[in-house]
Amino acid sequence: MASSTSAAAAAAVSLSLRLRSPYLNPIKFSQFGFSCSKSLQLVLPCLALDASVTSVSTKGEMEKENKLWGGRFEEGVHESVERFTESVSFEAEELWVHDIRGSIAHANMLAAQGLITEGDRDLIIEGLSKIKIKIETGEFVWRKDREDVHMNIEAALIDMIGEPAKKLHTARSRNDQVVTDIRLWCRDAIDRILIRIKQLQAQLVLLALRNDGLIVPGYTHLQRAQPVLLQHLLLSYVEQLERDAGRLINCQERLNFSPLGACALAGTGHPIDRLMTSQELAFTAPLRNSIDAVSDRDFLLELLSANSITAVHLSRIGEEWVLWASEEFGFIIPSDSVSTGSSIMPQKKNPDPMELVRGKSARVIGDLISLLVLCKGLPSAYNRDLQEDKEPLFDSVKAIIGMLEVTSVFAANITFNGERIRSSLPAGYLDATTLADYLVKKGMPFRTSHEVVGRAVALCIAKKCQLSDLSLDDLRGINSIFEKDVYDFLGVENAVNKFTSYGSTGSGEVQKQLQFWCSKLDITSAE
């Protein structure tokens, strides 16, 4: 008997955990073949269930308000379904301004086409303007039983002005309405991201200007490779960001077409003017195909893809700066304003912002993957699955803006430790490739010069010295081609000065790059 009670209690505990989900129906213990004793109820008060609750518990909601689409329905929506399907909780703050703007454009077009009177149009626009003010002042009440941002605003408009508001949805579906809102939102979001990209580019150029002539080790495979100017490295980030901006601009150009008037999927028989609404909303033109207009989310995939590539670039900067701020490198000194400490280790000073930039890149990439998987199996035209496009979209944009902003702040608040960097330069034979180029200038085939310099490096390792420390006799012992002018090619300063090709790390070329970016970004000084 004790064993049976114990099993029942265990099953009840398991059930109680499951019942905490707001999406599950109330379940009676009796259907599992046991009853809940009074003592068990005392131990597990969370299991006390109201026997009067039935499988449909939306009567109260039905008495509050019928759905705007509810004409053919005899039963109300179950409260669990209502909770599960509403989107107003995560989209209202982002989309309301665009929804009102689209509705005003639609009302103007309906009046121009004689589908509503000018008087009704004026009442609709006046009402929408009042709703806009209520939202801005926090007086507007968003209702989950009205499902989404569109129904909340339309229902509030009906409450406010009555019958004229019911004409607003003429020749419009939520299918074309929502994607119009999202395109408008994305267009503005791209502008916000582009501003942050330019700000970060400017901070990187300023950082380069403040570190004129500083040579750092260049790495490949995270191994010492060749000496480069720090300015050259910083400008490489600027170039990456410029491509990121270009992708966003291209995306913005492609998304700037109007789906409004495509209705559910087939268009309408009303004499609407899609060109008029397109122009009023500053779109390039209406989308040609109404089915494609309501179902297309390519522009979201493009935007989130562009964000993901930007996130990867920022993550790579973060990785490099986190490494360079470590004691092992010591190349970067972040200011206290962009560092955090440890709860247990008093000496710690962590470059946390860039660690989080590196970490949040995973989130942005995940948003893209979520949307790709969402779209991959959908049939033509609109499907409710597409409601799930918004949270990854909003999250991706919020994350990438935050990443760009904090990277800009971090760049403005770091110092490069020139003394530490210069003391590290002798290690790694950074001038070896320049020595090989010297031999090529003497007429030696590059592959042969590669082998000769490799032997010189081996000699340095054996003698525990640098290439510039080898005597001319040492070098001639390897190959007689060496002459006294070889020392003009050895050492990191000489090596950097020998780079002259377009876009290289040579001082002259880097100055050209700096001049280009200062002009493009309107930077006049390092301050």
Side-chain angles (χ1 to χ4, degrees), residues 249-263:
I249 291 168
N250 293 155
C251 174
Q252 192 178 54
E253 290 173 353
R254 271 186 293 277
L255 72 79
N256 197 39
F257 289 83
S258 174
L260 192 57
C263 299

Side-chain angles (χ1 to χ4, degrees), residues 196-217:
R196 270 68 173 195
I197 288 177
K198 185 173 181 180
Q199 289 171 341
L200 177 53
Q201 286 179 303
Q203 284 298 338
L204 291 168
V205 172
L206 290 170
L207 193 56
L209 290 170
R210 291 195 295 269
N211 288 276
D212 185 31
L214 182 57
I215 298 172
V216 297

